[in-house]
Amino acid sequence: MRTPIVQFGTSRFLQAQADLFISDAMREGQSVGPVTVVQTSGSADRAGRLAAFDGRPLPIVIRGLEKGEPIERTEHTTCLVRGLSTATDWTEIERIVVEEAEQIISNTGDGGYRMPEGEAIGDAVPVSFPAKLTKLLAARWRARRAPIMVFPTELVPDNGAVLRRLCLGVAERSGLSPDFVRWLEADCVFANSLVDRIVSSALEPAGAVAEPYALWAIEAQPRLRVPLTHPCVRVVEDLRTTERLKLFLLNLPHTCLAERWHVEGRPADETIREIVAEPEIRAWLDALYDEELLPVFAAAGVGEAPAYRASVIDRFRNPFLDHRIADIFMNHRDKKERRVGGVIAWAAEVAPSLPMPRLKGIAASGVG
């Protein structure tokens, strides 16, 4: 079976996000998919999951709040028809990338872009994902195949630009043809994107439980062709707006709640749902949004901020999701600097007269 999409990463997140969107599009008759899934880590504990990628329907249980009302339904990912591993199936993976692929999707985890210092490619299978991808794309170029579209979804700012830069570094260190380097840099499209959906638990051997909210935002660029249309897939002119919505209206309130949790010595296993259920905490959170966050977005002309805030509150109150504040508090100082410090700096540009007593107090607290 020909698979025009090759996906690097076996994560439950992708099954409940991009793979579910592709499956929905295929059911509508759109010319997209199916998908070959490639495991990049070689981990033996993923063997059962790889075997499940044979076209069978994989359940995605959607649980949470939509417009304030609890919902639960089961959807199915059906686009995953072949599971391979770079540790054992390299020759077949190379054939598929050369002969079948039109798009590549990746989600290789937090460490997916880490590379051994000075890594180059030779005859053996490379260590890192960027080097593996470079070796496969070089084989495609040597076969005189068309340039390819790469859609990274790792949580790295400007993920497409970063991945392209890493691949170019590998190619140059490996002494590959300057013509290939030009093809990789100028002809292949590496899309910057941002993904957002909380996947709360796993189903075996594959599948997942996820919240209703889902977004795959892809930044527009010349020659970009997104292979599907779907309500949760958005092409945006400037990904920074989408990043700010997520960072400052979802992640930042998480950090502020985590600071109160720590300072007040609240229960060790308390969840976001439990803390926002307290009237005093909820009033404080609403004031944070209404008086210090939404005015910044209004001053910057971001009209979708109030609707996004409403969706975030539904996510916080999700009765099926146990999002522990102790987990959110990890690396608290670094998170505060990027989230709280980031919105204060942005406000200084677009709303310099806006008082931000709560946020400035958290920024200066020294907690973390």
Side-chain angles (χ1 to χ4, degrees), residues 21 25 52 84-85 89 102 124 132-133 140 173-174 187 225 277 294:
F21 305 160
L84 303 173
S85 170
D89 304 305
E102 298 173 10
K132 289 180 171 79
L133 180 59
R140 184 180 176 91
R173 288 193 298 273
S174 304
D187 297 335
R225 186 177 67 82
L294 291 181

Side-chain angles (χ1 to χ4, degrees), residues 107-152:
N107 189 296
T108 52
D110 292 341
Y113 290 178
R114 294 194 191 116
M115 304 173 63
E117 186 175 355
E119 184 178 18
I121 57 176
D123 294 333
V125 176
V127 174
S128 71
F129 167 62
K132 289 180 171 79
L133 180 59
T134 306
K135 186 175 177 69
L136 292 167
L137 293 181
R140 184 180 176 91
W141 173 81
R142 286 192 294 271
R144 300 183 181 276
R145 299 284 178 165
I148 202 163
M149 302 253 178
V150 184
F151 294 91

